[in-house]
PDB file of all heavy atoms in Angstrom:
ATOM      1  N   ILE A 199      -4.969 -28.984   2.191  1.00 90.00           N
ATOM      2  CA  ILE A 199      -4.581 -28.363   0.931  1.00 90.00           C
ATOM      3  C   ILE A 199      -4.747 -26.831   1.037  1.00 90.00           C
ATOM      4  O   ILE A 199      -3.930 -26.075   0.527  1.00 90.00           O
ATOM      5  CB  ILE A 199      -5.450 -28.926  -0.211  1.00 90.00           C
ATOM      6  CG1 ILE A 199      -5.028 -30.369  -0.502  1.00 90.00           C
ATOM      7  CG2 ILE A 199      -5.317 -28.063  -1.471  1.00 90.00           C
ATOM      8  CD1 ILE A 199      -5.854 -31.032  -1.589  1.00 90.00           C
ATOM      9  N   SER A 200      -5.782 -26.400   1.702  1.00 91.00           N
ATOM     10  CA  SER A 200      -6.022 -24.963   1.863  1.00 91.00           C
ATOM     11  C   SER A 200      -4.897 -24.294   2.656  1.00 91.00           C
ATOM     12  O   SER A 200      -4.407 -23.222   2.296  1.00 91.00           O
ATOM     13  CB  SER A 200      -7.366 -24.744   2.562  1.00 91.00           C
ATOM     14  OG  SER A 200      -8.414 -25.317   1.835  1.00 91.00           O
ATOM     15  N   VAL A 201      -4.465 -24.949   3.737  1.00 92.00           N
ATOM     16  CA  VAL A 201      -3.375 -24.396   4.552  1.00 92.00           C
ATOM     17  C   VAL A 201      -2.085 -24.354   3.743  1.00 92.00           C
ATOM     18  O   VAL A 201      -1.340 -23.349   3.748  1.00 92.00           O
ATOM     19  CB  VAL A 201      -3.180 -25.232   5.833  1.00 92.00           C
ATOM     20  CG1 VAL A 201      -1.926 -24.785   6.577  1.00 92.00           C
ATOM     21  CG2 VAL A 201      -4.400 -25.114   6.728  1.00 92.00           C
ATOM     22  N   ALA A 202      -1.799 -25.446   3.022  1.00 92.00           N
ATOM     23  CA  ALA A 202      -0.568 -25.502   2.227  1.00 92.00           C
ATOM     24  C   ALA A 202      -0.563 -24.406   1.156  1.00 92.00           C
ATOM     25  O   ALA A 202       0.469 -23.751   0.939  1.00 92.00           O
ATOM     26  CB  ALA A 202      -0.442 -26.881   1.577  1.00 92.00           C
ATOM     27  N   ALA A 203      -1.678 -24.180   0.511  1.00 91.00           N
ATOM     28  CA  ALA A 203      -1.756 -23.157  -0.544  1.00 91.00           C
ATOM     29  C   ALA A 203      -1.527 -21.764   0.036  1.00 91.00           C
ATOM     30  O   ALA A 203      -0.800 -20.934  -0.534  1.00 91.00           O
ATOM     31  CB  ALA A 203      -3.112 -23.236  -1.223  1.00 91.00           C
ATOM     32  N   ALA A 204      -2.149 -21.474   1.195  1.00 90.00           N
ATOM     33  CA  ALA A 204      -1.996 -20.152   1.819  1.00 90.00           C
ATOM     34  C   ALA A 204      -0.550 -19.910   2.237  1.00 90.00           C
ATOM     35  O   ALA A 204      -0.010 -18.821   2.031  1.00 90.00           O
ATOM     36  CB  ALA A 204      -2.920 -20.040   3.027  1.00 90.00           C
ATOM     37  N   LEU A 205       0.099 -20.928   2.807  1.00 90.00           N
ATOM     38  CA  LEU A 205       1.472 -20.758   3.267  1.00 90.00           C
ATOM     39  C   LEU A 205       2.445 -20.627   2.105  1.00 90.00           C
ATOM     40  O   LEU A 205       3.395 -19.829   2.142  1.00 90.00           O
ATOM     41  CB  LEU A 205       1.859 -21.937   4.164  1.00 90.00           C
ATOM     42  CG  LEU A 205       1.122 -22.047   5.496  1.00 90.00           C
ATOM     43  CD1 LEU A 205       1.603 -23.252   6.288  1.00 90.00           C
ATOM     44  CD2 LEU A 205       1.290 -20.778   6.324  1.00 90.00           C
ATOM     45  N   LEU A 206       2.235 -21.408   1.037  1.00 90.00           N
ATOM     46  CA  LEU A 206       3.099 -21.307  -0.135  1.00 90.00           C
ATOM     47  C   LEU A 206       2.953 -19.939  -0.804  1.00 90.00           C
ATOM     48  O   LEU A 206       3.934 -19.375  -1.280  1.00 90.00           O
ATOM     49  CB  LEU A 206       2.766 -22.414  -1.118  1.00 90.00           C
ATOM     50  CG  LEU A 206       3.276 -23.810  -0.757  1.00 90.00           C
ATOM     51  CD1 LEU A 206       2.733 -24.859  -1.739  1.00 90.00           C
ATOM     52  CD2 LEU A 206       4.807 -23.834  -0.770  1.00 90.00           C
ATOM     53  N   GLN A 207       1.721 -19.436  -0.844  1.00 88.00           N
ATOM     54  CA  GLN A 207       1.494 -18.114  -1.421  1.00 88.00           C
ATOM     55  C   GLN A 207       2.263 -17.056  -0.621  1.00 88.00           C
ATOM     56  O   GLN A 207       2.904 -16.166  -1.199  1.00 88.00           O
ATOM     57  CB  GLN A 207       0.003 -17.780  -1.402  1.00 88.00           C
ATOM     58  CG  GLN A 207      -0.349 -16.342  -1.714  1.00 88.00           C
ATOM     59  CD  GLN A 207      -0.074 -15.972  -3.156  1.00 88.00           C
ATOM     60  OE1 GLN A 207      -0.027 -16.841  -4.004  1.00 88.00           O
ATOM     61  NE2 GLN A 207       0.076 -14.692  -3.424  1.00 88.00           N
ATOM     62  N   ARG A 208       2.237 -17.152   0.679  1.00 86.00           N
ATOM     63  CA  ARG A 208       2.922 -16.188   1.521  1.00 86.00           C
ATOM     64  C   ARG A 208       4.437 -16.297   1.365  1.00 86.00           C
ATOM     65  O   ARG A 208       5.148 -15.280   1.331  1.00 86.00           O
ATOM     66  CB  ARG A 208       2.556 -16.432   2.988  1.00 86.00           C
ATOM     67  CG  ARG A 208       1.330 -15.669   3.455  1.00 86.00           C
ATOM     68  CD  ARG A 208       1.450 -14.228   3.096  1.00 86.00           C
ATOM     69  NE  ARG A 208       0.652 -13.412   3.974  1.00 86.00           N
ATOM     70  CZ  ARG A 208       0.484 -12.103   3.826  1.00 86.00           C
ATOM     71  NH1 ARG A 208       1.037 -11.506   2.803  1.00 86.00           N
ATOM     72  NH2 ARG A 208      -0.239 -11.398   4.656  1.00 86.00           N
ATOM     73  N   ALA A 209       4.925 -17.530   1.276  1.00 85.00           N
ATOM     74  CA  ALA A 209       6.371 -17.729   1.115  1.00 85.00           C
ATOM     75  C   ALA A 209       6.866 -17.129  -0.197  1.00 85.00           C
ATOM     76  O   ALA A 209       7.944 -16.532  -0.269  1.00 85.00           O
ATOM     77  CB  ALA A 209       6.703 -19.212   1.169  1.00 85.00           C
ATOM     78  N   GLY A 210       6.047 -17.259  -1.254  1.00 84.00           N
ATOM     79  CA  GLY A 210       6.424 -16.721  -2.553  1.00 84.00           C
ATOM     80  C   GLY A 210       6.219 -15.223  -2.676  1.00 84.00           C
ATOM     81  O   GLY A 210       6.792 -14.581  -3.560  1.00 84.00           O
TER      82      GLY A 210
END
Side-chain angles (χ1 to χ4, degrees):
I199 289 178
S200 302
V201 172
L205 294 180
L206 284 173
Q207 169 69 22
R208 271 310 205 186

